[in-house]
Amino acid sequence: MSTTQAYLEHVAIYVGDIAPHIAFFDKVFGMTVTQVKGAADNPDQVWLLGGIQFIRKEGFAGPEGRFAHLGLVCADMEAAIEAALAHGAKATDQGHNWLLLPDNLYLELMPNKGESVQIARANDRRI
């Protein structure tokens, strides 16, 4: 039995230029910008409606975006952190809610707001 429940709130991706991704996801999927870090005309990071975060990475030369981290909302964040550490996750210097798994998979754990975990999990079309 799991210690707590969670849902994937966002996926963070490194890109060289954020602007074309903002335009694409807005025009194709209606996923508008909900938060900006940095200058509005040349942001360092943006979060889109629907769970995508783009992070501008200087010198990025890949043909596609690169994974940065998974953001998980937890019904009981502290219990999830404790369980994750007991199951081999490592603490990071980014804060107590940031964990590192094997293969350099970073997790950002966030607290539940109201019943958001239960609502998101109940709305999963695959179950």
Side-chain angles (χ1 to χ4, degrees), residues 63-82:
E64 74 282 331
R66 296 283 189 245
F67 176 76
H69 67 268
L70 296 175
L72 300 172
V73 174
C74 303
D76 184 338
M77 186 180 80
E78 297 305 324
I81 291 168
E82 186 177 312

Side-chain angles (χ1 to χ4, degrees), residues 33-98:
V33 173
T34 62
Q35 186 177 347
V36 175
K37 181 178 178 186
D41 60 341
N42 188 24
D44 297 319
Q45 298 183 45
V46 296
W47 290 259
L48 304 182
L49 180 66
I52 299 173
Q53 175 185 358
F54 289 112
I55 303 169
R56 182 170 39 90
K57 188 170 181 108
E58 293 297 324
F60 181 82
E64 74 282 331
R66 296 283 189 245
F67 176 76
H69 67 268
L70 296 175
L72 300 172
V73 174
C74 303
D76 184 338
M77 186 180 80
E78 297 305 324
I81 291 168
E82 186 177 312
L85 293 170
H87 283 85
K90 306 270 189 251
T92 73
D93 60 1
Q94 292 179 271
H96 90 284
N97 63 314
W98 284 84

